[in-house]
Every structure is written in C-alpha cells, then in structure tokens.
Amino acid sequence: MDTTAMHIANGIVNGPVSAIFAVFAVVALAFCVRQARADLDDRLAPMAGLVAAFIFAVQMLNFQVLPGVSGHLLGGTLAVILVGPWVGALCVSTVLIVQCLLFADGGLTALGLNITNMALLGTAAGYVLVVALLRLLPKTPAGLGTTALIASIISVVVASQGFVLEYALGGTTELSLPWISGTMAGVHVLIGIGEGVIAATTVATVARVRPDLVYALRRFRKPVNVEVGAAA
Amino acid sequence: MSKRLGWFLAGGLLVALLLAGVVSSFASGSPDGLDYTAREGCTFNADGEITGGTCMAQQEGDHQLADSPLADYGIKGIDNEYLSTGLSGVLGVLITFAIGGGVFWLVRRRGQSAATATDTDQGR
C-alpha cells in the first residue's frame, strides 16, 4: 500500500452505501451550482478557479502531526472565506474529482463519500462557524485569520466524523465504532490545527492585499455597506 | 476582467505552482490521519503488506485508474522523484485551474458588478 493516497480508497465502505452517497453528492452539487450562480460574477469566477488550484497544491503538502502520522489541508473553510459556501463546496469538489480521475487518489467508487465529507460536510461546518465568528470578531486581517483558524479545526473534525458515519453504515470490517470515531477525531484535531494555520495565513494575506476579493468581508456581515465599501 | 485582478490571479497561481512543484517534494510521506486510522490493528511487513490483525485497510481495493500516467502524484516514466512529483504537481495545479476556472466562468452570472447583480436576481 502506498502512502501517497490521501482520501478514502475503494473497498473500505461497501458498494450500496458508496452508491447512496454518490447519488447524495450529485444532488447536493447540483444544488450548489444553482446557488453558486448568484455569487459567480466576472470577478468571483476566475478567483474560484484560483482557489481550487491553490487547494490542489496545498493538499499535496502533507505535514507531520505525530510520529508516523501526517495530514493535509482539506480546504473547506479557506474556500468559504474566499469564495463563499456554494462556490467553495464546488472548488473542493473540483479538486477531489481531478485527484480521483487523474492522480488515482481516492477511490472512484468512494468519490461520493469523499465529496460528502470534505466538500459538503467540511464546507458546511466551516460556513456556519465563519458566519458565527465574524459576528464576534473584527473584520480585519487578524480577525479573519482567527476565524479561519478556529473554523478550520472544527470543520476538519466534522469531516472526519462524516467518514465514521459512512463506515457505520457500510464498513467492511468488524471494528469498534467508538474507537474509530475517537481515533479519527483525535488525529484530525491536530490536522485541523495545521490546516487552520495555513488557512489563516492565506486569508489574512489576501485580506491585506485585496480585501475586495474576500467573499467573507463582502457578504457575511450585517448590511452596513458603507463601512466596508469605504475601507476597501 | 480587470488588469489588477489579472495580476492577483497570476501571483496566486505562481504561489500554487511553487507549492505543488517544489515544496511538495518535501511533504511528509507518513500515512495521513485517515490512512493511519485504517491501518491501526494490523501488522505490516517491510513492503507495507498486511501480515496479520484486523483493520479497515484489509478490505482496501486497488484504484480503478491506478495505471493512469499521473497516478500517485508522479509522472510515469520519470525516475527522478523530485522531478516526477514536482511536474505532476504543476500539471495538477494547471489542470485544476483550467477545469475549475473554465466551469465557473461558463456558469457565471453575466453582468458586471455584484451590486447590479442583486437587483437582477430579485427581478426573477
């Protein structure tokens, strides 16, 4: 077995459950496309392409979290902050599809599972947290960075528990679910911290250079357009 | 698309290309969090084959596209590991940008600014 595989492989979750999640993923992504159209203008569309390409690059960078254990960014929270929830989910999905079809990473049968966990669950959790945190924290590069850090950690743990749910429904070996859940949550807290640092650095940098390109600074706030409009 | 946005995109793409093309060769080779959890409970020999125990990875099947030219983030036929990983990363970034950017551009809402957009949305 090679160690470059980073997502759920074929055979870990059985066929019927994988198929159900594949259908779920297709329906959810179709809904995301519908919602995303309202956000996608001439400026956000190329930005979303860049976010997808950036997430692909950073997903190659596995960092050590424990001896013998590594992790990589999933990207949901980062995408939500830069391009919004709907486009963000599509960005992460694009990366997962390219990785599966071209780089043989993440089983073809398991694609629906991987999209559900990382692109849908991870992004949804990131979205809820980013909206909540930006009500409390200042809309400055530092506030945005802190938001990215906290939201990333929780979003990664939520995504890891998506796998536990799928395994509970269609796991192919007899293993204790609480043990799987605990182990996944434990390592993914550490991975989430790493992801959080990367996401925080990235969004704080973009917020400093081009605050007008940060979706979270334009949309996730109470409608006091004048303030941010003037600052940008 | 404005010129300023063009510069930002070029800069961002350059960062992504450097990360995927150069930094990627220095990434950790250890199993990631999921893979680690999947392997817990089994024993492995030096080649990474399962020798006993019970773990999720036992049921792991081969990838349907394991023979693809870019499989496992390398380029088939290039033996130099740095070159193979780096080039596959560069290709991956460009392909993802082309596909992602292309699809988003096609489904985008026509019209100029976000401000005018809200008005048209309410019209429908």
Side-chain angles (χ1 to χ4, degrees), chain A residues 6 10 40 42 62 64, chain B residues 28 32 39 61 64 108-109:
Chain A
M6 306 191 293
N10 288 324
L40 279 169
D42 288 4
N62 278 55
Q64 205 79 24
Chain B
S28 164
D32 72 5
R39 292 158 62 102
Q64 289 94 333
R108 83 190 188 284
R109 200 167 27 68

Side-chain angles (χ1 to χ4, degrees), chain A residues 162-178:
Chain A
F163 168 76
V164 178
L165 171 73
E166 293 158 355
Y167 196 80
L169 295 171
T172 49
T173 33
E174 292 293 322
L175 288 165
S176 141
L177 277 176

Side-chain angles (χ1 to χ4, degrees), chain A residues 85-102:
Chain A
W86 313 110
V87 180
L90 295 173
C91 284
V92 181
S93 303
T94 306
V95 173
L96 296 173
I97 292 167
V98 168
Q99 287 172 331
C100 173
L101 295 182
L102 292 176

Side-chain angles (χ1 to χ4, degrees), chain A residues 1 3 6 9-10 37-38 40 42 57 62 64 70 99-100 102-103 105-106 108-109 167 172 179 184 210, chain B residues 4 16 28-33 37 39-40 56 59-64 68 70 72-73 107-109 112:
Chain A
M1 192 169 65
T3 49
M6 306 191 293
N10 288 324
R37 289 200 67 173
L40 279 169
D42 288 4
N62 278 55
Q64 205 79 24
S70 75
Q99 287 172 331
C100 173
L102 292 176
F103 294 86
D105 182 14
L108 195 56
T109 340
Y167 196 80
T172 49
W179 175 82
M184 283 295 278
R210 288 292 304 268
Chain B
R4 274 185 75 208
S28 164
S30 300
D32 72 5
T37 312
R39 292 158 62 102
E40 278 289 287
M56 291 190 259
Q59 297 301 318
E60 194 175 309
D62 283 335
H63 199 284
Q64 289 94 333
S68 94
L70 291 172
D72 297 325
Y73 301 92
V107 303
R108 83 190 188 284
R109 200 167 27 68
Q112 278 306 306

Side-chain angles (χ1 to χ4, degrees), chain A residues 18-76:
Chain A
S18 299
I20 290 169
F21 279 96
V23 172
F24 172 73
V26 168
V27 173
L29 289 182
F31 184 71
C32 284
V33 170
R34 237 189 70 167
Q35 300 296 106
R37 289 200 67 173
D39 288 337
L40 279 169
D41 53 22
D42 288 4
R43 204 162 49 148
L44 196 70
M47 181 68 184
L50 175 61
V51 167
F54 186 79
I55 292 175
F56 176 91
V58 182
Q59 285 209 355
M60 284 184 80
L61 310 180
N62 278 55
F63 46 84
Q64 205 79 24
V65 291
L66 286 172
V69 190
S70 75
H72 61 78
L73 170 134
L74 307 185

Side-chain angles (χ1 to χ4, degrees), chain A:
Chain A
M1 192 169 65
D2 59 78
T3 49
T4 41
M6 306 191 293
H7 308 315
I8 305 173
N10 288 324
I12 303 247
V13 171
N14 69 29
V17 172
S18 299
I20 290 169
F21 279 96
V23 172
F24 172 73
V26 168
V27 173
L29 289 182
F31 184 71
C32 284
V33 170
R34 237 189 70 167
Q35 300 296 106
R37 289 200 67 173
D39 288 337
L40 279 169
D41 53 22
D42 288 4
R43 204 162 49 148
L44 196 70
M47 181 68 184
L50 175 61
V51 167
F54 186 79
I55 292 175
F56 176 91
V58 182
Q59 285 209 355
M60 284 184 80
L61 310 180
N62 278 55
F63 46 84
Q64 205 79 24
V65 291
L66 286 172
V69 190
S70 75
H72 61 78
L73 170 134
L74 307 185
T77 306
L78 173 72
V80 163
I81 293 178
L82 292 179
V83 294
W86 313 110
V87 180
L90 295 173
C91 284
V92 181
S93 303
T94 306
V95 173
L96 296 173
I97 292 167
V98 168
Q99 287 172 331
C100 173
L101 295 182
L102 292 176
F103 294 86
D105 182 14
L108 195 56
T109 340
L111 187 56
L113 306 168
N114 283 314
I115 288 179
T116 302
N117 298 338
M118 289 181 273
L120 300 174
L121 274 177
T123 306
Y127 173 57
V128 171
L129 286 155
V130 168
V131 170
L133 287 166
L134 280 183
R135 294 228 167 104
L136 308 170
L137 294 165
K139 277 106 196 146
T140 57
L144 203 62
T146 313
T147 300
L149 176 66
I150 300 170
S152 290
I153 297 172
I154 300 171
S155 138
V156 170
V157 174
V158 168
S160 82
Q161 297 306 301
F163 168 76
V164 178
L165 171 73
E166 293 158 355
Y167 196 80
L169 295 171
T172 49
T173 33
E174 292 293 322
L175 288 165
S176 141
L177 277 176
W179 175 82
I180 296 177
S181 174
T183 311
M184 283 295 278
V187 290
H188 282 87
V189 169
L190 302 176
I191 294 171
I193 294 172
E195 158 147 2
V197 171
I198 298 171
T201 313
T202 309
V203 298
T205 307
V206 180
R208 226 169 257 132
V209 183
R210 288 292 304 268
D212 58 311
L213 289 179
V214 179
Y215 186 96
L217 292 180
R218 288 188 284 138
R219 309 285 176 92
F220 300 161
R221 56 196 163 72
K222 289 168 199 146
V224 199
N225 289 353
V226 197
E227 199 183 275
V228 170

